[in-house]
Amino acid sequence: MKLLQRLEAAHLNGLSVALGVTATHLVVGALFGETAGLAAVGGAVCASLTDVPNPPQRVLPRVLPAALVAALVTGLVGLADGSLVATVALVAVVTFLSLMALAWGLRAGPLSFSPVLAMVFAMAWDRTAGATSPLEHAAWVGLGGCVYAGWARASAVVLRHRLRELALAGALRATEQRLRSRAQRIAGAVGGADASIRASIADDVVLADALQAARDQVFAARRSARSRRQTDLVLGLIELRDLLLASRLDTELLGQDFPGRQWRAALADTLRHLADVLAALADTVALGAPLPEVSADAWRAQLAARLADVSAPGGDSRTHLVSALQSRLGHMLDDVSAMVARQARQDDVDSPWTPEKLAPFVSPEGWPLAALKPHLTLQSGVMRHALRSALALSLAYALGAVLPWAAHPFWLMLSVAVVLRGNLEQTLSRRNERIIGTVQGCLLVLLLAHVHSVPALSLCFIAAVGTAHAYVNRRYRVAATAATLMALLQPLMLDPGSDPAIVERLADTLIGAGLAWLFSFVLPSWERAAVPRLATQLRGALARHAANMLRWMPSAEEQLAQRLSRQQAYAALAALAAAAQRTRVEPESVRLPEAEIEAALSHGYRLMALLGAVQHQVQRRTARLDVARAETALPLARKACVDVLKGEPATGTDPAEIPDGDAGAWPEHLGQHDLTPWLLRRLRLCRIEAREFVAALNRLQPAGEQT
């Protein structure tokens, strides 16, 4: 039981896939014979590609299309058998159409690969199970896919509670890690390449992915006392992420002298303590460990004592900044304490968060045809990748058919298919991992070749199916090793003791990886081509977010809009950060400039932090703000920021405000009841960051493409 508790969601999913493929084989084989059972395995494996951790209601709309497409492609391959020209043309058409499915986003990735894998299985059919008619073979494949779809749905129902717990634990641990990395940066313990803004943003992207996985699992659950507690925990983590982002503000102003380092150390230690609590809470959620003991008041007292012990020069104005930073950190202490207290309560607490309100925050589902329209142009990266892949796979099959070891031309085609990605960075990574994984798999097969027990080999094959599924998006080298086992164990299962085609497998992998790398320069999709689109999306997302956040006492509907625009803005920033990561391996002549892209990301995240800080102050410090001044300043700042982000000319300023040039100075905080000067300072900084962000984006874009 303890071992099962240690399994992550991907491991459980891989185990479920392995059992589902086995069950499909046994059921179809028992009812219709061994030939039908083996064909059904191919359909089950193709359908299983789309079976990833998901709420039960999302399983069939993803798995069934893969099963049906696999059956259709299998039939077409059988009809084209015997004609090299017809088969090569079919490879090109099927590859192009399947990869156009990427127009629906990353969730369509497994579905886009399912037809390609179905082609490989269909081409290998005569070498694994003997001859059947194309239509009969396609029927068994379709039946296997449908049987597996039923298994996947049942498995999702059985595992739904555990998958929600693991998604929550993953979000908690990602937040814990973000707190620790932020503590290192505050304390000045990070240097070199790790100190760059891009390294910091990489942590934010990991956290954003973990939070979205938790949203998808928890928000789609049926309403119950447990799911409401889980929803509260996810919402609390989202708010904590905003507070953590705001904690970046102003810490660099503490300086690097002795008092500055002491203040930094105290703040960093408090963040590490919060990280320890979140780690313990993750163990509670995932492993049933006891809840951690928390006390916001005790934490506040410890932090205050640490900060008070710092020997700063008399009259040092930084003491006001330290007081403000201490107050911000206090909000995080309160929120973490509240999260733990909520998990300790077993009673059902009424929640305003209905399924209808939570639905917009869940990842989109379905396959609307309208998503294809923007990609029906050669300027689309999806279209270019589909064309590039169609050319590469058809050439690979034709080349494989004329090589001296022409028994496995589909292996060469498969190597190209799994290595050639939509961008150069992923292609290079897949190329290297594929080669290493294939070598490892061949070495394992050399050992298994001495095993003459068909049941033992079958068990290894099923284990390889589950392993490949579990690790394909986590550690591709492991998945490639398992895929090699799957390919080479099939003939051994039919003829134990035979000579596995290891040399052919290695040669096909090396040639296929080389072809994929070469074709990555055919109709290339360099990251700079996507910058105008990403810039437009990002400016629009930040403009909407600024319009939602710079409001006085927002209503319930406006608060919902704030959360939604915040999620969209984070997603847009993550897209730019991903482009920044991918461009590093591109040819220098087309590479995005390092300084400009880091400036755009830095100012974008700072603007997000300031917007969050403004709204937190409005909601949490209402009693300490001058209502008249705040209600006057917020609309002016909102209009100024939105105008800048949308590229509209500024139309006046607030004469009562201090010029933007003085925004770096901090007002008094110690002993001050009126915190309105801090609000006005943040509003001025919002305008500055909006201007700097737009300027950085404009420097990124080629002349004539600026918005």
Side-chain angles (χ1 to χ4, degrees):
M1 185 64 182
K2 288 185 178 180
L3 178 61
L4 288 177
Q5 281 187 325
R6 294 291 178 181
L7 294 179
E8 299 178 14
H11 300 144
L12 285 175
N13 185 228
L15 180 61
S16 171
V17 166
L19 294 175
V21 172
T22 304
T24 301
H25 180 207
L26 294 176
V27 170
V28 177
L31 293 176
F32 304 104
E34 184 62 16
T35 298
L38 287 174
V41 166
V45 172
C46 291
S48 72
L49 294 179
T50 57
D51 180 19
V52 296
N54 257 317
Q57 63 270 28
R58 290 192 164 207
V59 172
L60 292 182
R62 294 196 179 196
V63 178
L64 280 178
L68 298 177
V69 169
L72 175 62
V73 169
T74 299
L76 293 174
V77 170
L79 293 174
D81 189 32
S83 171
L84 178 59
V85 173
T87 301
V88 170
L90 180 64
V91 169
V93 171
V94 170
T95 301
F96 174 77
L97 293 178
S98 63
L99 289 178
M100 283 300 295
L102 293 175
W104 286 297
L106 292 178
R107 62 191 169 91
L111 178 62
S112 71
F113 190 69
S114 181
V116 176
L117 188 61
M119 281 197 296
V120 172
F121 285 168
M123 292 169 181
W125 176 245
D126 288 343
R127 297 167 177 80
T128 58
T132 57
S133 71
L135 294 182
E136 183 182 358
H137 184 197
W140 297 136
V141 169
L143 177 61
C146 291
V147 170
Y148 181 83
W151 168 276
R153 180 66 166 77
S155 175
V157 172
V158 172
L159 295 175
R160 65 190 188 280
H161 295 306
R162 185 58 182 163
L163 291 177
R164 289 207 300 269
E165 291 171 350
L166 290 174
L168 268 175
L172 282 163
R173 292 191 173 109
T175 309
E176 171 215 345
Q177 182 56 41
R178 191 67 193 92
L179 283 166
R180 295 192 191 282
S181 64
R182 182 61 194 147
Q184 283 185 299
R185 286 177 169 81
I186 288 178
V190 177
D194 292 333
S196 71
I197 181 64
R198 195 176 299 182
S200 176
I201 289 170
D203 295 336
D204 289 318
V205 172
V206 171
L207 176 56
D209 290 343
L211 287 174
Q212 189 57 53
R215 287 190 194 99
D216 291 343
Q217 289 288 350
V218 174
F219 290 0
R222 293 180 181 176
R223 297 298 89 189
S224 65
R226 174 162 55 179
S227 70
R228 275 189 275 271
R229 284 197 301 273
Q230 292 172 334
T231 298
D232 289 344
L233 184 53
V234 175
L235 294 173
L237 288 174
I238 293 170
E239 291 303 315
L240 186 63
R241 192 243 322 247
D242 247 21
L243 288 171
L244 181 58
L245 184 64
S247 74
R248 299 177 178 184
L249 301 172
D250 302 326
T251 52
E252 71 280 359
L253 301 177
L254 290 175
Q256 293 293 341
D257 59 357
F258 183 69
R261 292 196 301 272
Q262 285 186 307
W263 283 320
R264 287 170 178 269
L267 297 171
D269 287 344
T270 303
L271 287 180
R272 293 189 186 101
H273 183 61
L274 288 178
D276 292 338
V277 174
L278 290 184
L281 187 54
D283 288 340
T284 300
V285 171
L287 307 175
L291 279 168
E293 295 184 5
V294 299
S295 172
D297 292 337
W299 292 342
R300 285 175 182 274
Q302 292 171 5
L303 176 60
R306 283 282 305 272
L307 295 174
D309 285 343
V310 176
S311 54
D316 193 329
S317 63
R318 287 179 296 176
T319 56
H320 295 288
L321 177 59
V322 170
S323 177
L325 294 172
Q326 178 183 352
S327 177
R328 292 181 208 169
L329 205 49
H331 298 324
M332 298 175 68
L333 300 174
D334 292 337
D335 286 1
V336 171
S337 180
M339 281 191 280
V340 175
R342 179 68 181 92
Q343 296 308 302
R345 296 182 60 177
Q346 297 301 313
D347 56 325
D348 193 4
V349 178
D350 225 6
S351 172
W353 290 100
T354 62
E356 293 74 23
K357 288 184 177 180
L358 294 172
F361 300 95
V362 178
S363 297
E365 195 66 12
W367 314 107
L369 292 178
L372 291 170
K373 186 176 180 181
H375 298 283
L376 299 179
T377 170
L378 197 56
Q379 303 306 312
S380 164
V382 171
M383 170 69 82
R384 294 167 78 89
H385 179 50
L387 287 171
R388 180 192 314 129
S389 299
L391 291 171
L393 266 67
S394 55
L395 176 62
Y397 186 87
L399 179 62
V402 300
L403 286 173
W405 55 88
H408 304 99
F410 45 85
W411 280 0
L412 183 57
M413 183 185 79
L414 180 61
S415 292
V416 176
V418 297
V419 171
L420 185 57
R421 303 287 91 189
N423 58 77
L424 183 60
E425 184 213 29
Q426 292 178 355
T427 298
L428 293 177
S429 174
R430 281 290 184 96
R431 180 196 65 185
N432 300 337
E433 297 295 288
R434 178 74 175 180
I435 292 172
I436 295 172
T438 299
V439 172
Q440 292 177 165
C442 288
L443 292 175
L444 290 174
V445 170
L446 283 175
L447 297 176
L448 294 173
H450 299 287
V451 177
H452 294 172
S453 169
V454 174
L457 293 174
S458 299
L459 185 61
C460 292
F461 178 83
I462 293 300
V465 171
T467 301
H469 186 88
Y471 284 94
V472 67
N473 292 319
R474 294 162 57 87
R475 295 177 62 189
Y476 184 70
R477 183 181 302 183
V478 176
T481 303
T484 301
L485 286 174
M486 291 167 59
L488 297 180
L489 284 178
Q490 287 182 5
L492 285 177
M493 291 160 59
L494 293 171
D495 185 13
S498 62
D499 185 23
I502 289 178
V503 175
E504 291 90 338
R505 180 72 178 188
L506 286 171
D508 287 335
T509 296
L510 289 171
I511 295 173
L515 279 175
W517 173 66
L518 290 174
F519 267 90
S520 64
F521 295 93
V522 176
L523 293 174
S525 301
W526 304 129
E527 297 304 325
R528 68 176 183 179
V531 166
R533 174 180 56 83
L534 291 175
T536 300
Q537 292 176 350
L538 186 47
R539 290 176 64 164
L542 283 174
R544 287 191 298 273
H545 192 48
N548 289 329
M549 295 295 280
L550 299 178
R551 294 183 180 275
W552 176 256
M553 301 304 293
S555 64
E557 291 76 13
E558 289 172 335
Q559 289 182 33
L560 184 64
Q562 288 176 350
R563 289 175 176 269
L564 187 58
S565 64
R566 175 176 60 191
Q567 181 179 351
Q568 293 168 345
Y570 276 128
L573 281 167
L576 183 61
Q581 179 65 32
R582 293 191 296 264
T583 195
R584 287 182 163 184
V585 301
E586 292 180 338
E588 191 171 351
S589 60
V590 298
R591 195 178 303 165
L592 289 173
E594 184 92 4
E596 281 77 0
I597 200 163
E598 290 210 358
L601 289 168
S602 177
H603 290 300
Y605 271 97
R606 280 186 61 83
L607 178 57
M608 288 288 293
L610 285 163
L611 293 173
V614 166
Q615 194 51 231
H616 281 296
Q617 188 171 18
V618 167
Q619 293 184 5
R620 296 175 185 245
R621 290 289 184 262
T622 308
R624 298 179 63 180
L625 295 175
D626 184 322
V627 176
R629 295 178 70 192
E631 286 186 319
T632 300
L634 280 165
L636 291 170
R638 180 172 67 244
K639 187 177 188 315
C641 287
V642 172
D643 286 349
V644 168
L645 292 168
K646 288 185 175 181
E648 298 175 0
T651 56
T653 58
D654 179 13
E657 290 196 31
I658 302 172
D660 288 343
D662 297 330
W666 53 83
E668 293 186 356
H669 193 276
L670 280 172
Q672 298 299 313
H673 177 77
D674 184 10
L675 297 181
T676 309
W678 281 89
L679 175 64
L680 298 179
R681 174 177 180 268
R682 286 172 178 161
L683 293 178
R684 292 193 294 274
L685 288 171
C686 282
R687 294 204 304 271
I688 293 172
E689 291 299 334
R691 288 198 297 268
E692 294 294 333
F693 168 72
V694 169
L697 274 187
N698 287 339
R699 289 194 297 270
L700 268 179
Q701 300 177 68
E705 295 183 357
Q706 298 177 7
T707 56

